[in-house]
Amino acid sequence: METSSLRPAEARPVPAAPEDAAGAPAHLTTADRIELLRAMLLMRAIEARALALYRQGRVPGSFYDGFGQEAVSVGAAFALGPRDRLCPLHRDLGAHLVRGVAPARILAQYMGRASGVTGGRDGNVHFGDPASGVIGMVSMLPDMMCVATGMAMAFKLRGEPRVALTWFGDGATSRGDFHEAMNWAGVQRLPVVFVLENNQFAYSTPLSKQFAVDPVERARAYGFPGVTVDGNDVEAVFEAVLEARVRALAGEGPTLVEAVTMRMHGHAAHDDMRYVPPGLLAEWGERDPIERQQQRVAELGIDVDALRAAVDAEVEAAAAEASAAPMPDPADAVRGVFAEGEPVPLGDGRAPWSGFVEALS
Ligand SMILES: Cc1ncc(C[n+]2csc(CCOP(=O)(O)OP(=O)(O)O)c2C)c(N)n1
Ligand SMILES: [Mg+2]
């Protein structure tokens, strides 16, 4: 991890991983490192399966994925505690998986089934499982920064030791909401973590046409740190977010974590990416986050082929379960639009990092 310094938007140095001299990560056990790999494999396998279902006409609407960006949602969500709250965006399936949302519910969500996370009310973008502390996104970007900031304000007012985290893209940083959320979070020193998923493009707009100075530099102007990490290194993302969480819980306020990565697919399934310069995808393909973690885990003597096979089998079973699930009752479409009865508080999510498991047991 690297503390930011002023530099032009074109320069994107990829920082080194935070390993000690022996190459061991600071806070991760072997089981953690395997779990990080497993979550990323699960995310990719689900999205690959869903893309095939989309092309068969079995996933309505369009299809957005986070292919090549798995380390950002998985690594950041892994650093969160059970009572923390999170707002994933359209490329952050890994966050839902880390919190414990079952693959069959995700695939059913994509296929519009009654057993999907929203019960068939939306497709592959706008969903969150309130019982797992995951808030579904609204499309206007980056409104979820304001939602996360509001949750962090509530935590502060109630004196609760917990944080809110949200992800958003490079393009989203050009909107006013970005500045409003950053300003209020800085003024109030709120326990919020902002994860900027810098994947080089906002639809077809490259970084050089998005901003003159890397937005991670703006954090300092709002009174808190901005750090840049290699977004294709899941352990580096975890470490950066863990540090941000520790700061937030200590009352030191927000952190902007910029994860530098690459959107390896089009904006959505309809986009052929003709505007991406030749060679860029091949260059980033060499830094695939899953290959990287797989190599580390294999070096620990773990059978990664068996892990992959288990994940593939799990996703196949989930796809079969989702395909067999019923469509929702049309009358259900108008239910849950307005709040009825007593409000149901958000639930806690799975927090598989060994640091929490040890602290809680
Ligand atoms: C305020 C607003 N304007 C436009 C859109 C349409 N839109 C959806 S995603 C997207 C690109 C966002 O790019 P970025 O923030 O870099 O995220 P990425 O898709 O690259 O992950 C756009 C323009 C929107 N959702 N909200
Ligand atoms: Mg982007």
Side-chain angles (χ1 to χ4, degrees), residues 169-171 197 199-202:
D170 39 280
E197 201 154 1
N199 65 359
Q200 316 296 320
F201 288 90

Side-chain angles (χ1 to χ4, degrees), residues 69-230:
Q69 298 178 214
E70 293 87 352
V72 185
S73 56
V74 168
F78 206 74
L80 297 181
R83 301 195 66 234
D84 294 341
R85 300 293 180 246
L86 48 158
C87 309
L89 259 68
H90 50 302
R91 310 209 188 275
D92 302 319
L93 173 60
H96 301 266
L97 298 171
V98 168
R99 294 306 275 190
V101 182
R105 282 184 74 204
I106 304 274
L107 283 159
Q109 170 71 19
Y110 296 169
M111 297 170 79
R113 306 298 164 129
S115 57
V117 181
T118 62
R121 288 180 185 76
D122 207 297
N124 98 303
V125 173
H126 311 100
F127 68 96
D129 180 32
S132 306
V134 183
I135 319 289
M137 65 174 273
V138 294
S139 250
M140 299 313 289
L141 300 170
D143 281 9
M144 298 315 281
M145 285 183 79
C146 299
V147 174
T149 300
M151 287 195 291
M153 186 77 199
F155 302 157
K156 179 183 165 183
L157 290 173
R158 296 177 191 152
E160 296 173 348
R162 56 213 289 226
V163 309
L165 181 146
T166 188
W167 293 259
F168 49 91
D170 39 280
T173 65
S174 301
R175 295 275 307 176
D177 319 60
F178 173 92
H179 298 275
E180 292 174 32
M182 296 271 287
N183 184 56
W184 190 243
V187 168
Q188 291 287 332
R189 294 172 83 82
L190 296 179
V192 59
V193 182
F194 298 124
V195 180
L196 160 54
E197 201 154 1
N198 181 348
N199 65 359
Q200 316 296 320
F201 288 90
Y203 210 135
S204 56
T205 305
L207 301 184
S208 56
K209 291 202 167 62
Q210 190 67 250
F211 33 68
V213 173
D214 190 323
V216 75
E217 310 301 346
R218 296 179 194 156
R220 210 170 352 141
Y222 290 113
F224 55 90
V227 296
T228 299
V229 286
D230 180 348

